[in-house]
Amino acid sequence: MEIIFYHPTFDTAWWLKALAKAIPGANVREWKAGDNAHADYALVWHPPVEMLAGRKLKAVFALGAGVDSILSKLKAHPEMLDTSIPLFRLEDTGMGLQMQEYAVSQVLHWFRRFDDYQALKSQAKWQPLQEYTRDEFTIGIMGAGVLGAKVAESLQAWGFPLRCWSRTRKSWPGVESFAGTEELSAFLSQTRVLINLLPNTAETVGIINAGLLNQLQDGAYVLNLARGVHLNEDDLLASLNSGKLKGAMLDVYSREPLPEDSPLWKHSRVAMTPHIAAVTRPAEAVDYISRTILNLESGKAVTGQVDRVRGY
Ligand SMILES: NC(=O)c1ccc[n+]([C@@H]2O[C@H](COP(=O)([O-])OP(=O)(O)OC[C@H]3O[C@@H](n4cnc5c(N)ncnc54)[C@H](OP(=O)(O)O)[C@@H]3O)[C@@H](O)[C@H]2O)c1
């Protein structure tokens, strides 16, 4: 079995060795420009068109959870990958735990009013504040997929009222499920903390805008863990400045790296990280990819295939 690998920043030597060890009999090589030799599988991130075009692959694996970059490249270069070739993405592979850490720590930070206490500290003010109660801290998770489910599970352990919004209805114990655009307003109306874990698709671009933010509870918080294109940053700043929103924590931005002149950097109620919410964990990813390839080879059921029409 021949496997080609391309990632612009990963430690390729480590991946080649780990994959060869995990898939007995596989010959795993780094793809380099001009390599047109036979391959059965391709593992890629931001692949050059010529790496995949014209190949009769059994499957392609994206080395991340989101496939928006590869699908947008495919839109511009449909010749890159025949529609009959299945595209897989990383399902969880250690990202779920990272998302749980991020979401739980930030929700507790807001719930315990540490943002307000930091502001009081900067004024040298000793002032105990009214506590928030859980019943006024409903958390709404947009995107109830692999990562949304993990985040819901971890916040449930802390006793917060939970709701989720997705395309199709979920039946998760203790989580109120809302589905489709017709139920989005109902989902938003009771939400105090909005956590975004949607994929980047034609339907979800710009979804967190003034119209959506205005439907949240007063004094709401926004946690964007998915993609920068979901959020209209001007609308977010306007909602913060009007007092509708109390705070925001962002991991992803409309442009990355975020330009130095972005007003987000300076806003006192915007907390930020540089797209590190959940990174690919190599050992877990190799485990998932090798298991999936071995299952495909033996005709067993697999998960993680992207629906290229749906866009995720
Ligand atoms: N910041 C980071 O470091 C980082 C790291 C990893 C991933 N991410 C982002 O997180 C996203 C989610 O990952 P995942 O693995 O949880 O994805 P996933 O399993 O594919 O889940 C996507 C969820 O979004 C819902 N959805 C999709 N389109 C929708 C629409 N138009 N309306 C309502 N709901 C919609 C889906 O609904 P159904 O369940 O009904 O299909 C599903 O529940 C990724 O796409 C990626 O962009 C960010």
Side-chain angles (χ1 to χ4, degrees), residues 185 188-191 194 207-220 222 235-236 238-240 242-245:
S185 290
L188 296 168
S189 66
Q190 297 299 316
T191 293
L194 183 74
I207 192 165
I208 308 176
N209 53 31
L212 179 146
L213 295 169
N214 281 333
Q215 296 178 64
L216 295 170
Q217 288 203 348
D218 289 342
V222 169
D235 289 0
L236 178 89
S239 293
L240 285 162
S242 73
K244 174 72 188 173
L245 282 189

Side-chain angles (χ1 to χ4, degrees), residues 104-105 107-108 111 134 139 152-161:
V104 168
S105 61
V107 167
L108 293 177
F111 180 64
R134 279 176 169 68
I139 294 162
E153 185 188 299
S154 60
L155 287 165
Q156 202 162 35
W158 287 92
F160 291 103

Side-chain angles (χ1 to χ4, degrees), residues 1-3 15-28 41 43 61 285-295 297:
M1 179 197 306
E2 294 290 328
I3 300 177
W15 280 79
L16 299 188
K17 205 171 151 200
L19 287 159
K21 193 172 163 205
I23 310 170
N27 180 38
V28 194
Y41 295 95
L43 280 45
F61 288 83
V286 166
D287 182 58
Y288 163 76
I289 293 166
S290 57
R291 204 167 4 96
T292 305
I293 288 179
L294 292 172
N295 283 341
E297 290 290 313

Side-chain angles (χ1 to χ4, degrees), residues 8 25 46 53 76 85 113 122 133 144 146 160 200 215 220 241 256 280 290:
H46 295 298
I85 298 172
R113 304 193 65 167
S122 67
T133 59
V146 172
F160 291 103
N200 170 13
Q215 296 178 64
N241 293 335
E256 296 182 8
T280 297
S290 57

